Amino acid sequence: MSITRYFWLPRRMSEFEQRHTRRMNRLGVLFLWCNVPVFVIVAGFNGTGPWLAVALSALVLAGPTAALPLFPNPRITSMILGFAAMCMGGLLVHFGQGPLQIEMHFYFFSLLAALAIYANPAVIWIAAVTVALHHSVIYLLLPSSVFNYDASMWVVAVHALFVVVESVAAAFLSRSFFDNVIELDQIVCKRTAQLDERNRELRLVLDHVNDGLVTIDQAGRMAPERSARLDEWLGVPEPGTTFDKALSALDPAAGAWFEVAWEAVQDGILPLEVTLAQLPQRVQRDGQHFRLSYLPVNVVGRRPDRVLIVLQDVSAEVARSTADAEQHELLRSL
């Protein structure tokens, strides 16, 4: 598997991913704005400028707030949010100058892990680079805004190492979340489209066969997939209609016969060949003659899980047989 997949996502975006990312963007911006009062309190407690905390926090959050309606691609907004979240961490460390300044660094690590919810490794790496730049640049220009003691470059390197370790883990989790949750929706949609295409092809076949085809379950209910010829002969049944009810529209006596004989098929006492032979084999209506065939599917013991019923119009065959019999009788009488 290519390592590049842990840095960026495929260009295509499913509708599900767009909805998820937009929702997370809104929640992310709201969460960061809720941090501002906390920053003000921290700045007031440490004497580092409460009003400055308001101004700088608002400046940082102006970017992701404006990005929400500005960018149609929600991935861009989430990357801006990753950058802004780490900038907010830098502000918290600056305004938290005091005995707990080191503990303020946990803000970086907490949000780095939380950014995995975007299912986009790029958000993690942008945040990680932002932390690295913050520690490097601010340490050189204003070291008191990073550490509350005279720290060496090795301390900065150790902090950076922990950021790298967490970023690798967060990027892995982020991509796994994308593959197993976000991308799963796209896989399901693709397979659903393939299934729809197969159903259309099956429908095309069923609409062009001359026989009536349908499967019934153990309760005798007809499957929705059936040939158009069957609907022409029996009428379009309601969902869940049993075959004996549909057959009654063609031949009431045959429908009643099928209902009784089908119970013997499901009882499984007699051999399946015997019980299937007891089902109606011929029906007729208004001079039309039909032949019924039964093909069991997934037989367990003596009971089929389903049965394919084939209804054939044999009127021409019956007419020929009748004409042959009449001709034969005529020849005998001469």
Side-chain angles (χ1 to χ4, degrees), residues 132-184:
L133 290 175
H134 166 266
H135 277 55
S136 301
V137 175
I138 302 300
Y139 174 77
L140 294 176
L141 299 179
L142 190 62
S144 61
S145 290
V146 183
F147 299 106
N148 56 357
Y149 62 96
D150 188 15
S152 65
M153 183 57 70
W154 285 107
V155 175
V156 179
V158 169
H159 276 249
L161 178 61
F162 278 112
V163 169
V164 170
V165 171
E166 182 176 4
S167 298
V168 170
F172 175 79
L173 292 175
S174 183
R175 182 62 198 228
S176 298
F177 181 43
F178 177 83
D179 292 338
N180 297 317
V181 179
I182 304 298
E183 188 73 357
L184 181 61

Side-chain angles (χ1 to χ4, degrees), residues 233-246:
W233 292 335
L234 303 184
V236 180
E238 295 291 332
T241 299
T242 56
F243 184 72
D244 61 280
K245 295 294 190 299

Side-chain angles (χ1 to χ4, degrees), residues 27 34 43 70 109 130 139 192 203 243 276 282 290 332:
L27 292 176
C34 289
L70 185 62
F109 298 108
T130 303
Y139 174 77
T192 301
R203 184 76 263 170
F243 184 72
L276 289 179
R282 296 262 183 169
F290 300 91
R332 286 183 59 187

Side-chain angles (χ1 to χ4, degrees), residues 67-312:
L68 282 176
L70 185 62
F71 293 105
N73 188 338
R75 287 181 182 175
I76 297 176
T77 304
S78 64
M79 295 177 191
I80 296 174
L81 262 168
F83 171 79
M86 297 302 103
C87 289
M88 291 292 284
L91 292 179
L92 179 62
V93 173
H94 171 75
F95 294 121
Q97 295 179 42
L100 297 179
Q101 187 178 25
I102 294 299
E103 282 70 18
M104 299 297 176
H105 287 77
F106 287 116
Y107 188 92
F108 293 114
F109 298 108
S110 299
L111 286 194
L112 266 175
L115 291 175
I117 195 65
Y118 286 102
N120 187 352
V123 177
I124 305 296
W125 296 119
I126 288 174
V129 171
T130 303
V131 175
L133 290 175
H134 166 266
H135 277 55
S136 301
V137 175
I138 302 300
Y139 174 77
L140 294 176
L141 299 179
L142 190 62
S144 61
S145 290
V146 183
F147 299 106
N148 56 357
Y149 62 96
D150 188 15
S152 65
M153 183 57 70
W154 285 107
V155 175
V156 179
V158 169
H159 276 249
L161 178 61
F162 278 112
V163 169
V164 170
V165 171
E166 182 176 4
S167 298
V168 170
F172 175 79
L173 292 175
S174 183
R175 182 62 198 228
S176 298
F177 181 43
F178 177 83
D179 292 338
N180 297 317
V181 179
I182 304 298
E183 188 73 357
L184 181 61
D185 174 77
Q186 203 164 53
I187 294 174
V188 170
C189 291
K190 181 179 179 180
R191 291 183 178 176
T192 301
Q194 293 173 344
L195 182 60
D196 290 340
E197 180 62 25
R198 290 182 182 179
N199 287 337
R200 283 192 293 270
E201 294 175 357
L202 177 61
R203 184 76 263 170
L204 183 64
V205 173
L206 292 175
D207 286 345
H208 289 80
V209 296
N210 290 323
D211 297 334
L213 303 175
V214 68
T215 59
I216 61 174
D217 60 16
Q218 293 185 354
R221 292 186 296 262
M222 301 169 61
E225 295 80 16
R226 58 188 180 274
S227 65
R229 190 69 69 185
L230 190 78
D231 288 346
E232 178 184 337
W233 292 335
L234 303 184
V236 180
E238 295 291 332
T241 299
T242 56
F243 184 72
D244 61 280
K245 295 294 190 299
L247 187 60
S248 296
L250 185 64
D251 188 333
W257 179 7
F258 184 93
E259 182 181 7
V260 175
W262 183 251
E263 294 179 1
V265 174
Q266 294 308 304
D267 288 341
I269 299 175
L270 298 175
L272 181 60
E273 295 79 5
V274 175
T275 54
L276 289 179
Q278 293 175 349
L279 293 171
Q281 306 295 316
R282 296 262 183 169
V283 294
Q284 62 177 336
R285 183 187 64 179
D286 300 332
Q288 273 188 304
H289 296 264
F290 300 91
R291 180 168 54 221
L292 288 159
S293 304
Y294 306 95
L295 303 175
V297 179
N298 296 333
V299 179
V300 179
R302 293 179 174 180
R303 299 180 59 188
D305 179 57
R306 291 180 177 274
V307 171
L308 171 64
I309 299 178
V310 181
L311 184 65
Q312 297 175 295

